[in-house]
Amino acid sequence: MEILDSLLTILITVLSGVLVYIFGEILQTIWLSPLQKFKSIKHDVAVTLTFYSRIYNNPIDLAHATLSTREEYSEVSDKIRNLSCELKGYIETLSWMKIGIPAKKDLLEASKLLMGLSNSLHTPYNVQPTTEDYLHNKNTEEKIFKLLGMYGN
Protein backbone atom coordinates (compact mmCIF):
# COMPACT_ATOMS: atom_id res chain seq x y z
CA MET A 1 0.00 0.00 0.00
CA GLU A 2 2.86 2.34 0.84
CA ILE A 3 4.38 1.77 -2.61
CA LEU A 4 1.04 2.55 -4.24
CA ASP A 5 0.82 5.82 -2.28
CA SER A 6 4.37 6.71 -3.31
CA LEU A 7 3.63 5.99 -6.98
CA LEU A 8 0.42 7.99 -6.80
CA THR A 9 2.30 10.93 -5.24
CA ILE A 10 4.95 10.76 -7.97
CA LEU A 11 2.28 10.53 -10.68
CA ILE A 12 0.37 13.52 -9.27
CA THR A 13 3.61 15.53 -8.99
CA VAL A 14 4.62 14.74 -12.58
CA LEU A 15 1.14 15.48 -13.93
CA SER A 16 1.02 18.76 -11.98
CA GLY A 17 4.39 19.76 -13.40
CA VAL A 18 3.30 18.92 -16.93
CA LEU A 19 0.05 20.86 -16.53
CA VAL A 20 1.89 23.90 -15.12
CA TYR A 21 4.35 23.74 -18.02
CA ILE A 22 1.56 23.49 -20.61
CA PHE A 23 -0.36 26.34 -18.98
CA GLY A 24 2.81 28.46 -18.94
CA GLU A 25 3.45 27.80 -22.62
CA ILE A 26 -0.13 28.68 -23.54
CA LEU A 27 0.09 31.87 -21.50
CA GLN A 28 3.41 32.73 -23.15
CA THR A 29 1.96 32.20 -26.63
CA ILE A 30 -1.40 33.92 -26.30
CA TRP A 31 -0.49 36.79 -23.97
CA LEU A 32 3.16 37.44 -23.07
CA SER A 33 4.63 37.26 -26.58
CA PRO A 34 1.92 39.55 -28.04
CA LEU A 35 2.41 41.95 -25.12
CA GLN A 36 6.15 42.12 -25.81
CA LYS A 37 5.47 42.68 -29.52
CA PHE A 38 3.05 45.50 -28.67
CA LYS A 39 5.65 47.12 -26.42
CA SER A 40 8.16 46.91 -29.26
CA ILE A 41 5.77 48.53 -31.76
CA LYS A 42 4.80 51.15 -29.17
CA HIS A 43 8.49 51.93 -28.67
CA ASP A 44 9.03 52.31 -32.41
CA VAL A 45 6.01 54.61 -32.72
CA ALA A 46 7.19 56.77 -29.81
CA VAL A 47 10.74 57.06 -31.16
CA THR A 48 9.65 57.76 -34.73
CA LEU A 49 6.96 60.31 -33.88
CA THR A 50 9.20 62.11 -31.42
CA PHE A 51 12.21 62.18 -33.73
CA TYR A 52 10.29 63.27 -36.83
CA SER A 53 7.92 65.70 -35.11
CA ARG A 54 9.66 68.62 -36.84
CA ILE A 55 8.82 67.07 -40.21
CA TYR A 56 5.18 66.12 -39.89
CA ASN A 57 4.36 69.23 -37.86
CA ASN A 58 5.70 71.39 -40.70
CA PRO A 59 4.01 70.19 -43.91
CA ILE A 60 5.54 71.49 -47.14
CA ASP A 61 4.31 72.50 -50.57
CA LEU A 62 6.09 70.08 -52.89
CA ALA A 63 6.11 72.60 -55.74
CA HIS A 64 8.34 74.96 -53.75
CA ALA A 65 10.52 72.43 -51.89
CA THR A 66 14.05 71.46 -52.81
CA LEU A 67 14.81 67.95 -54.02
CA SER A 68 16.60 67.07 -50.76
CA THR A 69 13.63 68.31 -48.72
CA ARG A 70 11.19 66.27 -50.83
CA GLU A 71 13.37 63.19 -50.39
CA GLU A 72 13.59 63.71 -46.62
CA TYR A 73 9.82 64.12 -46.32
CA SER A 74 9.26 61.07 -48.51
CA GLU A 75 11.57 58.99 -46.31
CA VAL A 76 9.75 60.10 -43.15
CA SER A 77 6.40 59.39 -44.79
CA ASP A 78 7.55 55.86 -45.61
CA LYS A 79 8.75 55.25 -42.04
CA ILE A 80 5.43 56.37 -40.56
CA ARG A 81 3.53 54.35 -43.19
CA ASN A 82 5.58 51.28 -42.25
CA LEU A 83 4.63 51.75 -38.57
CA SER A 84 0.98 51.85 -39.60
CA CYS A 85 1.40 48.58 -41.50
CA GLU A 86 3.28 46.96 -38.59
CA LEU A 87 0.47 47.89 -36.22
CA LYS A 88 -2.21 46.67 -38.65
CA GLY A 89 -0.43 43.34 -39.11
CA TYR A 90 -0.01 42.99 -35.36
CA ILE A 91 -3.77 43.43 -34.83
CA GLU A 92 -4.40 40.39 -37.01
CA THR A 93 -2.30 38.18 -34.71
CA LEU A 94 -3.97 39.07 -31.41
CA SER A 95 -5.83 36.46 -29.42
CA TRP A 96 -8.62 36.95 -26.91
CA MET A 97 -6.25 37.62 -24.00
CA LYS A 98 -5.06 41.23 -24.22
CA ILE A 99 -4.18 42.34 -20.68
CA GLY A 100 -1.99 45.42 -21.03
CA ILE A 101 -2.78 45.77 -24.74
CA PRO A 102 -5.30 48.35 -26.02
CA ALA A 103 -8.54 47.16 -27.62
CA LYS A 104 -8.33 46.10 -31.26
CA LYS A 105 -10.53 49.03 -32.31
CA ASP A 106 -8.09 51.47 -30.66
CA LEU A 107 -5.12 49.80 -32.32
CA LEU A 108 -6.90 49.93 -35.68
CA GLU A 109 -7.71 53.62 -35.19
CA ALA A 110 -4.06 54.33 -34.31
CA SER A 111 -2.98 52.45 -37.44
CA LYS A 112 -5.35 54.53 -39.58
CA LEU A 113 -4.13 57.75 -37.97
CA LEU A 114 -0.50 56.79 -38.63
CA MET A 115 -1.36 56.18 -42.28
CA GLY A 116 -3.15 59.52 -42.47
CA LEU A 117 -0.19 61.26 -40.85
CA SER A 118 2.16 59.73 -43.38
CA ASN A 119 -0.07 61.12 -46.14
CA SER A 120 -0.19 64.63 -44.70
CA LEU A 121 3.46 65.65 -44.74
CA HIS A 122 2.87 67.86 -47.74
CA THR A 123 0.12 69.83 -49.37
CA PRO A 124 -0.92 69.60 -53.03
CA TYR A 125 1.29 71.42 -55.54
CA ASN A 126 1.20 75.21 -55.22
CA VAL A 127 -0.92 75.15 -52.03
CA GLN A 128 0.81 76.74 -49.09
CA PRO A 129 0.50 74.83 -45.79
CA THR A 130 -1.73 76.54 -43.24
CA THR A 131 -2.01 76.62 -39.48
CA GLU A 132 -4.86 74.12 -39.83
CA ASP A 133 -2.46 71.64 -41.50
CA TYR A 134 -0.09 71.93 -38.55
CA LEU A 135 -2.92 71.64 -36.01
CA HIS A 136 -4.37 68.62 -37.80
CA ASN A 137 -1.05 66.78 -37.65
CA LYS A 138 -0.45 67.79 -34.02
CA ASN A 139 -3.93 66.55 -33.05
CA THR A 140 -3.35 63.31 -34.97
CA GLU A 141 -0.10 62.77 -33.08
CA GLU A 142 -1.85 63.34 -29.74
CA LYS A 143 -4.64 60.89 -30.65
CA ILE A 144 -2.09 58.21 -31.60
CA PHE A 145 -0.24 58.65 -28.32
CA LYS A 146 -3.49 58.43 -26.37
CA LEU A 147 -4.81 55.37 -28.24
CA LEU A 148 -1.58 53.47 -27.64
CA GLY A 149 -1.38 54.50 -23.99
CA MET A 150 1.77 56.57 -24.43
CA TYR A 151 2.98 59.76 -22.82
CA GLY A 152 2.51 62.76 -25.13
CA ASN A 153 5.18 65.05 -26.46
Side-chain angles (χ1 to χ4, degrees), residues 1-61:
M1 193 66 161
E2 198 172 298
I3 293 176
L4 188 60
D5 285 343
S6 295
L7 287 175
L8 188 57
T9 302
I10 291 170
L11 181 63
I12 290 172
T13 303
V14 169
L15 281 175
S16 297
V18 169
L19 289 175
V20 167
Y21 174 78
I22 290 171
F23 179 73
E25 287 299 308
I26 290 171
L27 194 61
Q28 173 71 29
T29 302
I30 66 171
W31 177 53
L32 293 175
S33 290
L35 179 61
Q36 290 302 326
K37 179 68 174 170
F38 171 69
K39 287 181 176 184
S40 175
I41 292 170
K42 184 176 170 178
H43 169 269
D44 293 345
V45 169
V47 168
T48 301
L49 292 186
T50 301
F51 188 77
Y52 292 116
S53 178
R54 68 177 176 84
I55 300 288
Y56 63 78
N57 281 320
N58 295 295
I60 60 169
D61 174 9

Side-chain angles (χ1 to χ4, degrees), residues 45 49 53 56-57 109-110 113-114 117 134-153:
V45 169
L49 292 186
S53 178
Y56 63 78
N57 281 320
E109 180 65 21
L113 289 170
L114 283 165
L117 188 60
Y134 160 78
L135 290 175
H136 175 268
N137 288 354
K138 188 68 181 159
N139 288 337
T140 299
E141 170 197 52
E142 290 171 2
K143 288 176 188 173
I144 293 167
F145 273 66
K146 184 177 179 185
L147 287 167
L148 297 180
M150 301 171 9
Y151 298 106
N153 280 342

